[in-house]
């Protein structure tokens, strides 16, 4: 997981900032991420508490996804990872979005487009029982509740997401803090 995450971050840096990755720094980052072990008894509500990924229930898959964005060019990218209840990686995928976002709402729009791509991906792979995790609270609330919290120009994307979610057997959308979505 640490390797996949580091490679994804290096790729985004290369694509969006045109900075070539340093292999030694990447290996160092992978080693640091791999050696991080959560404590057995974390203090509740402690600011030092490290948020960690939690596996889904048996028979479910969990898809964590996120978007990255370059404001100057209005370009973005989506990354997703699919894991099972044992934490085993089933699939990793990234997609480049070539601009087209609307200035002012671009970050939220990209998060919505990310979720739509991820749900379409789950439907095409015929996944049936899925937990989707995102660090976009307004998006997750807009999907899970009747009220829409996203900008009105993004509401059509949420409707598309709900349409594709209806094709899945069981699903759940969960908001997680950014630290737990890495």
């Amino acid at each position: 997981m640490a390797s996949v995450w580091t490679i994804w971050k290096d790729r985004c840096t290369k694509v969006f900032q045109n900075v070539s990755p340093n292999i030694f720094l990447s290996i160092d980052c992978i080693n640091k991420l791999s050696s991080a072990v959560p404590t057995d008894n974390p203090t509740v509500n402690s600011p030092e508490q490290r948020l960690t990924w939690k596996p889904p229930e048996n028979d479910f898959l969990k898809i964590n996804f996120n978007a990255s964005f370059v404001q100057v060019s209005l370009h973005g990218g989506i990354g997703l990872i699919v894991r099972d209840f044992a934490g085993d990686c089933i699939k990793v995928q990234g997609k480049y979005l070539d601009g087209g976002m609307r200035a002012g709402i671009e970050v939220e729009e990209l998060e919505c487009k990310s979720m739509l791509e991820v749900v379409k991906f789950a439907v095409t792979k015929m996944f049936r029982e899925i937990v989707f995790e995102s660090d976009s609270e307004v998006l997750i609330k807009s999907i899970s509740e009747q009220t829409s919290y996203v900008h009105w120009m993004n509401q059509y994307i949420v409707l598309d997401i709900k349409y594709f979610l209806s094709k899945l057997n069981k699903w759940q959308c969960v908001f997680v803090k950014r630290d737990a979505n890495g």
Side-chain angles (χ1 to χ4, degrees):
M1 294 295 251
S3 300
V4 169
W5 176 252
T6 303
I7 291 168
W8 172 253
K9 297 300 282 180
D10 285 347
R11 181 201 169 279
C12 288
T13 302
K14 176 65 178 166
V15 169
F16 297 121
Q17 298 172 9
N18 201 23
V19 176
S20 296
N22 179 324
I23 191 165
F24 299 109
L25 291 176
S26 299
I27 291 170
D28 186 48
C29 181
I30 292 168
N31 288 334
K32 285 179 183 176
L33 287 171
S34 298
S35 67
V37 178
T39 59
D40 290 339
N41 294 319
T43 306
V44 176
N45 296 329
S46 168
E48 294 83 30
Q49 181 178 353
R50 180 181 169 93
L51 299 172
T52 58
W53 179 84
K54 292 182 175 57
E57 296 177 18
N58 287 351
D59 299 326
F60 273 78
L61 296 175
K62 184 177 275 191
I63 302 178
N64 290 79
F65 64 96
N66 208 344
S68 63
F69 177 71
V70 177
Q71 191 168 13
V72 175
S73 63
L74 297 179
H75 292 225
I78 302 166
L80 71 88
I81 184 166
V82 182
R83 293 178 277 194
D84 65 11
F85 66 92
D88 293 332
C89 180
I90 307 299
K91 179 83 173 168
V92 176
Q93 185 168 317
K95 182 174 183 178
Y96 172 69
L97 297 176
D98 187 13
M101 266 74 70
R102 293 177 288 267
I105 62 167
E106 65 274 345
V107 175
E108 180 182 280
E109 182 180 4
L110 186 58
E111 291 286 351
C112 291
K113 287 181 177 181
S114 298
M115 178 72 183
L116 181 58
E117 289 294 325
V118 169
V119 174
K120 285 180 179 179
F121 169 81
V123 170
T124 59
K125 294 294 181 184
M126 293 188 273
F127 296 152
R128 291 288 166 225
E129 297 171 333
I130 305 286
V131 177
F132 299 95
E133 280 192 344
S134 170
D135 57 16
S136 176
E137 188 171 16
V138 295
L139 174 59
I140 297 302
K141 286 177 72 173
S142 294
I143 293 167
S144 302
E145 299 176 14
Q146 292 290 356
T147 304
S148 182
Y149 297 90
V150 297
H151 189 277
W152 68 270
M153 293 179 79
N154 292 327
Q155 290 178 7
Y156 78 94
I157 303 172
V158 173
L159 291 175
D160 287 347
I161 292 167
K162 288 181 176 183
Y163 168 76
F164 283 102
L165 284 171
S166 71
K167 296 181 176 293
L168 298 172
N169 190 28
K170 291 182 185 176
W171 60 270
Q172 182 181 17
C173 291
V174 178
F175 165 72
V176 292
K177 294 194 183 247
R178 185 163 294 174
D179 294 346
N181 199 32

